[in-house]
Amino acid sequence: KNEVEQSPQNLTAQEGEFITINCSYSVGISALHWLQQHPGGGIVSLFMLSSGKKKHGRLIATINIQEKHSSLHITASHPRDSAVYICAPRSGSARQLTFGSGTQLTVLP
Amino acid sequence: DGGITQSPKYLFRKEGQNVTLSCEQNLNHDAMYWYRQDPGQGLRLIYYSQIVNDFQKGDIAEGYSVSREKKESFPLTVTSAQKNPTAFYLCASSISQDYEQYFGPGTRLTVT
């Protein structure tokens, strides 16, 4: 079973700061998803990546398959980025997602 | 407008009653999923379906049942056998199992 660890669990930042959220997992995977969950509960998929790096606006996701580690970066953070960020690797054999418990990000104006 | 709808947003039931949560998608996706979220924990897979008239148990299927009679619909029944049914339930869909998943807004079920 894939064990997923996210750090930090909680993060408070000032508007404009550069944010990094980390995700480590224990078994080989075929892809990893980063998700954003807003206070109302709705979840939005941010990235799906299997190697290297992807960028979308102020968000950047990287993955190192050998190290079993992925990071989500937010540049020039804004209060509207406040949400829970969840990483979810997909195990190669099971093809199902295993979800981290999430990182609660609060960006203060 | 394409998307996934779940209804209702909030649901209250008495212990011992079965309750069915609705999930509908108009994205023409083959795969659909039901997850449960409890405070401080990651989402856990209850059931998934890769195609109409087929579904498989996830990690925590006990006390739940599903059906997939139409491509667009994947209702989840929480039976009285589920010991701790109070939770936030999320439905998702994807083109197929290896693709990005799109999530519905969720249903918060409270059983007293």
Side-chain angles (χ1 to χ4, degrees):
Chain A
K1 187 172 166 61
N2 205 354
E3 302 294 332
V4 182
E5 293 284 336
Q6 283 188 237
S7 62
Q9 285 189 317
N10 294 282
L11 180 55
T12 300
Q14 291 295 133
E15 184 173 356
E17 283 186 11
F18 181 83
I19 305 289
T20 295
I21 298 170
N22 295 299
C23 175
S24 297
Y25 51 90
S26 60
V27 303
I29 65 168
S30 57
L32 184 140
H33 298 245
W34 279 102
L35 310 168
Q36 181 190 53
Q37 185 169 31
H38 283 282
I43 291 180
V44 174
S45 178
L46 298 174
F47 296 102
M48 183 179 79
L49 66 167
S50 53
S51 65
K53 175 174 161 177
K54 284 193 174 180
K55 184 175 190 291
H56 184 210
R58 295 180 295 105
L59 301 178
I60 303 166
T62 64
I63 190 166
N64 184 320
I65 294 290
Q66 287 73 30
E67 301 273 322
K68 296 187 175 63
H69 182 269
S70 176
S71 293
L72 177 68
H73 306 285
I74 305 174
T75 62
S77 59
H78 190 275
R80 66 174 174 265
D81 297 326
S82 298
V84 175
Y85 292 85
I86 301 168
C87 80
R90 178 185 295 121
S91 299
S93 56
R95 298 170 72 198
Q96 296 306 324
L97 301 181
T98 303
F99 295 81
S101 56
T103 294
Q104 172 70 63
L105 172 65
T106 304
V107 182
L108 303 174
Chain B
D1 242 333
I4 302 178
T5 56
Q6 290 185 244
S7 60
K9 193 171 173 64
Y10 298 94
L11 192 51
F12 298 88
R13 280 292 182 272
K14 295 287 185 190
E15 200 173 310
Q17 293 179 334
N18 290 357
V19 59
T20 298
L21 281 58
S22 163
C23 177
E24 304 276 331
Q25 54 99 359
N26 60 4
L27 300 167
N28 201 32
H29 286 171
D30 281 319
M32 296 187 75
Y33 314 82
W34 273 106
Y35 296 100
R36 170 184 172 134
Q37 188 177 38
D38 294 283
Q41 295 188 37
L43 276 71
R44 292 181 290 168
L45 181 66
I46 304 172
Y47 268 99
Y48 66 101
S49 167
Q50 296 181 64
I51 201 160
V52 176
N53 292 322
D54 182 61
F55 50 83
Q56 281 83 42
K57 292 182 180 179
D59 298 321
I60 55 164
E62 186 176 344
Y64 299 99
S65 65
V66 293
S67 62
R68 187 86 188 276
E69 296 174 4
K70 297 188 300 182
K71 189 175 188 177
E72 303 80 18
S73 179
F74 191 41
L76 173 75
T77 297
V78 184
T79 75
S80 56
Q82 168 49 233
K83 290 185 173 45
N84 297 297
T86 294
F88 187 55
Y89 291 88
L90 284 151
C91 177
S93 71
S94 61
I95 294 172
S96 73
Q97 246 186 304
D98 295 323
Y99 285 79
E100 182 180 16
Q101 293 185 20
Y102 294 79
F103 288 80
T107 292
R108 198 165 297 277
L109 173 65
T110 302
V111 176
T112 56

